[in-house]
Amino acid sequence: MARPDKAAAVAEIADKLRGSNAAVLTEYRGLTVAQLKELRRSLSGNATYAVVKNTLTGIAAKEAGVEGLDADLKGPSAIAFVTGDPVEAAKGLRDFAKANPALVIKGGVLDGNALTAAEITKLADLESREVLLAKVAGGLKATLTRAAYAFTAKPAQVARIIDALRQKQESEGAAA
């Protein structure tokens, strides 16, 4: 490629790194074009998947201020630029890698922090954002229900005691 083309490629990769909240570096050696198309389609809602040149990606990462990718930039590389939910993108990559062992997850970056392949697998094992939010909401609702019960329990208990005392006084007054 000529120098202007390389500069444009570096600028494009740097822009994608800046615009994404995570990036996952993979090795795609052995995958067919049809399998890459299927991978791109499975990631379409959360990430874009692009084959990249290692040297240009290293330069672009430095320009974008992203650290942690340099060590994994060896061999044929492709990057999933995650703009949606990082957990969903990690799940998509993990599931595709299980079905197609030729795809190897090398590492990545999440919110400026470098991730190893094992950490990306742990990220994929998390439940989706919606499920986690539902669990938090359920926990808050249960806490509020217990608090409401605690606030109403004492007045109700006091009312029952007063009613029992009133009935006792009436029964003693009628007996005397």
Side-chain angles (χ1 to χ4, degrees):
M1 284 197 295
R3 291 275 176 218
D5 292 342
K6 288 183 180 182
V10 167
E12 181 183 354
I13 294 169
D15 286 342
K16 285 184 178 181
L17 284 171
R18 281 188 212 103
S20 61
N21 53 4
V24 180
L25 188 64
T26 64
E27 182 177 321
Y28 64 94
R29 185 186 332 224
L31 292 176
T32 64
V33 173
Q35 288 171 325
L36 286 173
K37 243 184 188 177
E38 180 185 337
L39 176 58
R40 284 187 177 106
R41 199 173 315 116
S42 70
L43 294 174
S44 65
N46 297 308
T48 57
Y49 190 75
V51 174
V52 294
K53 292 200 173 280
N54 293 334
T55 54
L56 299 180
T57 302
I59 295 167
K62 286 178 186 169
E63 279 186 18
V66 175
E67 296 178 13
L69 291 179
D70 294 337
D72 296 324
L73 289 172
K74 295 178 182 100
S77 299
I79 298 180
F81 298 100
V82 182
T83 53
D85 186 11
V87 174
E88 290 299 319
K91 282 182 183 185
L93 286 167
R94 179 201 58 196
D95 294 344
F96 190 85
K98 281 182 182 177
N100 301 287
L103 181 75
V104 177
I105 297 173
K106 295 180 184 181
V109 177
L110 175 63
D111 293 330
N113 299 320
L115 298 174
T116 64
E119 290 171 331
I120 292 171
T121 304
K122 285 181 186 176
L123 183 67
D125 291 338
L126 287 176
E127 293 173 331
S128 70
R129 183 175 190 270
E130 289 78 23
V131 171
L132 293 174
L133 288 174
K135 284 185 175 184
V136 167
L140 290 174
K141 181 181 176 190
T143 303
L144 291 175
T145 303
R146 284 193 302 259
Y149 175 75
F151 289 136
T152 58
K154 289 297 179 187
Q157 188 178 16
V158 169
R160 284 192 297 272
I161 290 171
I162 291 173
D163 188 47
L165 287 173
R166 183 187 53 79
Q167 288 177 359
K168 183 179 178 184
Q169 286 178 345
E170 287 177 359
S171 66
E172 288 175 1

